[in-house]
Every structure is written in C-alpha cells, then in structure tokens.
Amino acid sequence: MDPAHLQILHQDTANRGRPIQDSTRGLTDDVREFDFYEVSYGLMKRRTYKNGMIDEHPVIFPNILRQGNVGQIRVPMDDTHTKVYFVRFFPSENGEIVEHDEPPVEYINPYKNPPDALHPYTKFRMDAVQAQDHMAWETQGPIADRTTERLTSSDRGIIMLREAMFREMKKVQQGQDPMGIIRDPAKNPFIDTHLLESIAQSGDDRAPRAVNE
C-alpha cells in the first residue's frame, strides 16, 4: 500500500531510461495524486499521473498484491520471516483456458551476498526492482520499530491497511467472516484476467490500468 516508493526507490530501474535530475525527488513530480479506497475483496491503491494515466493495483485481503500479470502472495512463516510467491499469468495464443497444465516453478536466487547475513553485514543487489524492494524491507531490521515512523499523506494506504487488519481480526474473534470470504457462489464468479487486460488496453474505465510497479 505504498505507491509513492516507485518514483523514488525504483527511479533508476523503472524509469525507462529517462535521466534523473534530482535523485531525492526521483520521478515524484510525474504523479498528480495518490488515492486509496476499500473494495469488496480488499483495498485498492491508485496513482494518477499528470499525463492522465491511471495506475491501480488491488490488494486482495489480507496478503496478496495483484500487479500487472503477477499475483504476489506473502506468507508469514514466523515473526521475522516471510515467504513470497509470485504467480505469473500469461494468456494462451488463442485465448483458450489451459487445463491440467503443470506450471513451471522457479526459485529466485538471493538478492544479497552473503545470502544468510543481515544488514549491515551483507551487500544487496540494486540493479533490479525486486532487489531494491528486498533491500528496503530487510534494512528496516527483522522487526521494525513502528513507533519511530514518520508517515506522510502518501502513506494513507499503509494506515488504511493496518486499520483494516485490526478491524477484520476483531471480526474473526467474534466468530464473523473477515473481508474477502465469499460463501455465496453467485457472488464469487470466475474472473477472466485476460478479459480484464483487454478492457484496460481499450481504455475502458471498468478495469484498472496497471502499467508497472
């Protein structure tokens, strides 16, 4: 829920070769506004650029981020470790649904060396978007002290996610279903992600237009 980091942290990897005039601001001035809102299955973060482009990424509550053709599933293993799965979707050549297909599995090499060391006793790669994300996550420490945070207006989504987490946990404690649990089949239809991409490419406002991180 932190869309503002793209233009700063990834200014040299996601800028499509544009020169950076001010590394402190990065490409922040490309963005007109950030917005965050709840939807039935979770939360949505949105960037509106000054050129009119809109970039939206849904966060499927509580731990999945949909970005482009990727679903990022982040599973806590214990208090200090998280396992991240990337599930990538590629449309078939003729648009048909492929059934009983065994998808390939790739294990990503560590983004640091030595791989089992912690900051500041390891060196992080900084030549790729995911490597930069891992650096930003891990250098906060195994358990970050949130009491020293300095949140700003672009961090509204982070606050919204935390509030939703506590609210939904209370519902579970009371025996209720949390956000995203849909028991009525009529309200849980199959979502054709290929169709969503086609709608987005056509400029129709019915689907989010995700362009990058």
Side-chain angles (χ1 to χ4, degrees):
M1 293 300 292
D2 174 24
H5 86 279
L6 168 63
Q7 279 71 30
I8 302 296
L9 179 60
H10 305 309
Q11 59 184 271
D12 61 340
T13 52
N15 64 5
R16 295 179 174 85
R18 291 173 51 192
I20 302 298
Q21 303 299 325
D22 182 347
S23 60
T24 300
R25 294 194 63 78
L27 300 172
T28 297
D29 294 326
D30 287 355
V31 181
R32 189 177 73 200
E33 64 180 357
F34 298 103
D35 194 16
F36 311 90
Y37 56 95
E38 285 198 25
V39 289
S40 61
Y41 52 79
L43 307 172
M44 185 74 77
K45 58 179 183 178
R46 171 192 285 182
R47 299 185 199 92
T48 301
Y49 290 84
K50 292 179 180 178
N51 64 6
M53 183 175 65
I54 298 175
D55 184 11
E56 292 185 316
H57 301 147
V59 174
I60 304 171
F61 191 84
N63 64 330
I64 301 176
L65 171 66
R66 168 71 190 275
Q67 184 269 314
N69 71 333
V70 182
Q72 301 181 25
I73 307 171
R74 300 173 185 178
V75 183
M77 307 306 292
D78 55 38
D79 286 346
T80 58
H81 295 83
T82 298
K83 184 169 287 188
V84 183
Y85 297 88
F86 288 79
V87 183
R88 296 187 180 274
F89 302 88
F90 298 94
S92 56
E93 293 184 0
N94 58 7
E96 293 182 352
I97 297 175
V98 178
E99 296 183 354
H100 310 299
D101 184 36
E102 190 68 26
V105 177
E106 178 183 359
Y107 294 90
I108 304 299
N109 291 326
Y111 292 116
K112 59 182 181 178
N113 187 37
D116 57 349
L118 299 178
H119 172 73
Y121 305 107
T122 188
K123 183 176 179 62
F124 289 87
R125 284 179 51 191
M126 290 294 288
D127 60 343
V129 169
Q130 282 300 318
Q132 293 169 337
D133 281 335
H134 278 253
M135 178 280 298
W137 295 337
E138 291 194 30
T139 54
Q140 296 180 62
I143 299 179
D145 182 3
R146 302 302 182 192
T147 65
T148 63
E149 285 182 324
R150 296 175 61 88
L151 300 179
T152 185
S153 59
S154 63
D155 295 318
R156 297 191 310 277
I158 296 174
I159 298 171
M160 180 181 294
L161 176 61
R162 292 175 182 172
E163 291 177 342
M165 287 280 191
F166 284 112
R167 182 191 68 210
E168 299 304 309
M169 283 190 291
K170 287 182 179 179
K171 288 168 61 175
V172 172
Q173 290 173 343
Q174 296 169 359
Q176 304 175 35
D177 285 338
M179 178 191 299
I181 299 297
I182 303 174
R183 301 186 184 277
D184 183 356
K187 296 180 181 179
N188 193 20
F190 170 78
I191 298 176
D192 187 338
T193 57
H194 180 56
L195 176 61
L196 289 179
E197 293 296 333
S198 299
I199 293 174
Q201 292 172 7
S202 70
D204 195 311
D205 287 335
R206 290 177 295 167
R209 294 180 287 278
V211 293
N212 52 34
E213 168 80 7

